[in-house]
Amino acid sequence: MKTVLAVLLFSVSSLAAAHNCPNEMKAIDAKLGSASGISAENMAKIKSLRADGEKFHKEGKHDESMKALGEAKKLLGI
């Protein structure tokens, strides 16, 4: 019974993370439109991480997606 519950909780948490990727991308996109004071180097890195996050999301690699998107958000100060 505990094993079934653990598997169920893991599945639900994975699905929640999978569905959060688009929200993270939206937050990054919104901030990019009004971002100022960010170096060209960091802006390129942010855009690359954002693109990687979307690519990973589409491939079903949601942990990798959230990691890339989290790094982009950190650079943006979100």
Side-chain angles (χ1 to χ4, degrees):
M1 182 67 169
K2 289 182 182 180
T3 304
V4 172
L5 183 58
V7 169
L8 179 62
L9 288 174
F10 178 75
S11 298
V12 171
S13 67
S14 294
L15 288 173
H19 292 291
N20 200 35
C21 299
N23 292 331
E24 298 295 308
M25 289 184 269
K26 286 178 189 175
I28 291 167
D29 293 342
K31 184 71 174 184
L32 278 174
S34 63
S36 62
I38 298 174
S39 70
E41 181 181 334
N42 276 346
M43 187 61 77
K45 192 172 191 177
I46 291 165
K47 289 179 180 181
S48 176
L49 287 165
R50 192 320 193 162
D52 289 345
E54 184 171 3
K55 178 179 135 284
F56 290 139
H57 173 71
K58 288 179 179 179
E59 293 173 352
K61 299 176 181 177
H62 301 291
D63 289 338
E64 290 92 339
S65 174
M66 292 299 290
K67 182 178 177 187
L69 295 171
E71 289 179 39
K73 286 178 68 177
K74 186 176 178 181
L75 289 170
L76 275 170
I78 300 176

